[in-house]
Amino acid sequence: MIEPVLARLAGLHPKVIDLSLARVERLLADLGAPHERLPPVVHVAGTNGKGSTVATLRALAEAQGRRVHVYTSPHLVRFAERIRVAGQLPDDARLRALLEEVERVNDGRPVTFFEITTAAAFLAFARAPADLCILETGLGGRLDASNVVARPALTLITPVALDHQQYLGDSLGAIAAEKAGILKAGVPCVLARQPAEARAAVAARAAALGAPLIEEGVDFESRPAPDGGLLFRHGDAWTALPPPALVGAVQVQNAGLALAAALALGATRPPVLDPAPAPATLGRGLTTVDWPARLHRLRAGPLVESLPDGWDIWLDGGHNPHAAQALAAHLAGWGDRPLGMVFGMISTKDVDGVLAPLAPHVAALRAVTILDEPLALPAETLAAAARAHGVAQAAAAASLE
């Protein structure tokens, strides 16, 4: 089992989050600098949409026949989801051996859980051939453990919003400046459309480094097509593509970011991806992307089986006001049946900011206390907050079931 080693690693450092590069740099040096032996790297930061954009870029690259390493966090079900090696998730035995190797080299010295697992990912990636490596930041960018690759092929910043203010700053400009810490001199950055304050912070960093910006709304854009597909503009040229497999209007933007990144990787010297991929190839990537729990309809399993006829159940992991606004925009189009919500959150999140855009669309809400989560807010607290936002039928539930 992998759980015992994960528990030991989680106990190596007394702080849940302590942003620094010194510990991970020391550990990587002791491991032989695996982060210096990676295939071309795309480094991704941002507040929302990172995981979906990474998953879409991976699908676009794999549609071109490329092998792709991917490092993401957190995981949904299995820890192995964080470390995808040349397209494959490692089994628990292989992953445990990898983590125990890094644990031995670390030799009990202080290190955060994210730092030691990031080092393990780099070690796994350095040992397996691949054509591309996509790294998602865990928190922020400038001092994130993934920010040790000296010269990635490309950086990418998804929309920036208020989240993790206790670590990143209490303004959009401060948070964007932390995210922009992944930019490198001369390395292009694909930049999502941003609030003015956030864009200014990224643009200032890019200008100081001479990092070209490839900006949504300027150099590229994506929008829904009248026939239900996706229209993508790159420069002056528009391409009609099928809709992304991921549901929701926000996924049109995420798909556009991934498409812009794929084309930017085709413009590198030498090119990392195809310089002029066929629309059919791009479409194959968009329609095969898989990233669960982002407006994800469950179609099988005990929860689905427990529902009355004519009911659907969907999952979404949004946990900040910006994500809630995107979810609410989608829910506004659901008028065929009443909408019920099962809702849980932790104490470090903006509960009111999340509930405010969602409440007008919710007929009934059942609040749950998240299991095995020290920071979980009590179900009764969440139900009271929902009632304060106008959800009259809001109550606490003893369990998810």
Side-chain angles (χ1 to χ4, degrees):
M1 294 179 62
I2 194 172
E3 286 75 15
V5 66
L6 292 176
R8 288 200 307 273
L9 296 178
L12 284 174
H13 198 274
K15 296 181 181 178
V16 176
I17 297 175
D18 180 10
L19 297 179
S20 169
L21 292 180
R23 291 180 300 271
V24 72
E25 288 173 339
R26 179 263 302 159
L27 179 55
L28 289 168
D30 292 346
L31 288 167
H35 61 300
E36 297 177 358
R37 304 194 304 275
L38 302 178
V41 167
V42 178
H43 199 189
V44 180
T47 303
N48 290 318
K50 296 192 300 293
S52 297
T53 302
V54 166
T56 304
L57 179 57
R58 173 173 71 88
L60 291 169
E62 290 178 343
Q64 297 181 25
R66 303 306 203 275
R67 295 166 299 179
V68 186
H69 298 323
V70 181
Y71 181 55
T72 58
S73 63
H75 59 280
L76 185 65
V77 178
R78 293 179 56 227
F79 180 84
E81 297 166 27
R82 296 178 180 231
I83 303 174
R84 184 178 293 269
V85 182
Q88 302 299 314
L89 298 181
D91 60 36
D92 280 357
R94 180 182 173 193
L95 189 55
R96 176 171 182 161
L98 178 73
L99 290 169
E100 288 180 337
E101 179 181 355
V102 179
E103 184 183 23
R104 285 193 300 274
V105 171
N106 185 66
D107 196 26
R109 290 171 293 187
V111 68
T112 67
F113 181 80
F114 185 74
E115 288 163 356
I116 203 166
T117 54
T118 301
F122 286 144
L123 192 61
F125 296 159
R127 291 172 172 172
D131 304 295
L132 179 65
C133 179
I134 309 176
L135 304 176
E136 178 191 340
T137 59
L139 180 61
R142 181 176 62 92
L143 295 175
D144 188 79
S146 63
N147 197 27
V148 293
V149 177
R151 189 166 181 82
L154 185 73
T155 61
L156 190 155
I157 297 180
T158 67
V160 173
L162 293 175
D163 200 6
H164 300 296
Q165 291 97 311
Q166 66 270 45
Y167 303 110
L168 303 179
D170 57 5
S171 70
L172 285 175
I175 293 172
E178 290 295 317
K179 309 287 186 184
I182 70 167
L183 270 62
K184 302 295 185 292
V187 175
C189 173
V190 174
L191 181 63
R193 187 178 282 110
Q194 304 286 351
E197 183 181 354
R199 187 210 170 267
V202 177
R205 178 67 176 167
L209 292 172
L213 290 181
I214 303 169
E215 294 195 64
E216 182 183 15
V218 178
D219 304 292
F220 70 93
E221 62 184 298
S222 56
R223 62 179 62 166
D227 64 359
L230 181 146
L231 293 173
F232 176 70
R233 176 181 66 80
H234 187 252
D236 296 326
W238 286 90
T239 303
L241 297 167
L246 302 180
V247 176
V250 70
Q251 297 298 349
V252 172
Q253 179 185 35
N254 294 335
L257 293 172
L259 287 162
L263 294 177
L265 291 170
T268 58
R269 294 291 177 267
V272 177
L273 295 182
D274 293 347
T281 303
L282 298 175
R284 187 163 63 251
L286 293 179
T287 55
T288 56
V289 60
D290 178 47
W291 194 236
R294 281 76 179 173
L295 260 178
H296 172 200
R297 182 182 174 186
L298 286 184
R299 298 185 180 274
L303 292 178
V304 174
E305 293 165 3
S306 72
L307 296 175
D309 290 341
W311 287 45
D312 299 336
I313 185 167
W314 294 70
L315 305 180
D316 191 82
H319 53 262
N320 56 49
H322 184 261
Q325 290 159 15
L327 178 58
H330 188 77
L331 300 182
W334 279 2
D336 59 332
R337 287 166 287 176
L339 177 68
M341 180 173 290
V342 179
F343 184 67
M345 287 197 78
I346 61 175
S347 60
T348 58
K349 299 302 178 183
D350 182 357
V351 175
D352 291 319
V354 169
L355 281 173
L358 296 175
H361 308 288
V362 176
L365 181 144
R366 294 296 177 264
V368 295
T369 305
I370 302 172
L371 291 175
D372 302 321
E373 172 51 67
L375 298 177
L377 283 167
E380 292 80 4
T381 301
L382 296 173
R387 289 192 293 271
H389 283 277
V391 183
Q393 297 187 49
S399 71
L400 175 63
E401 291 75 17

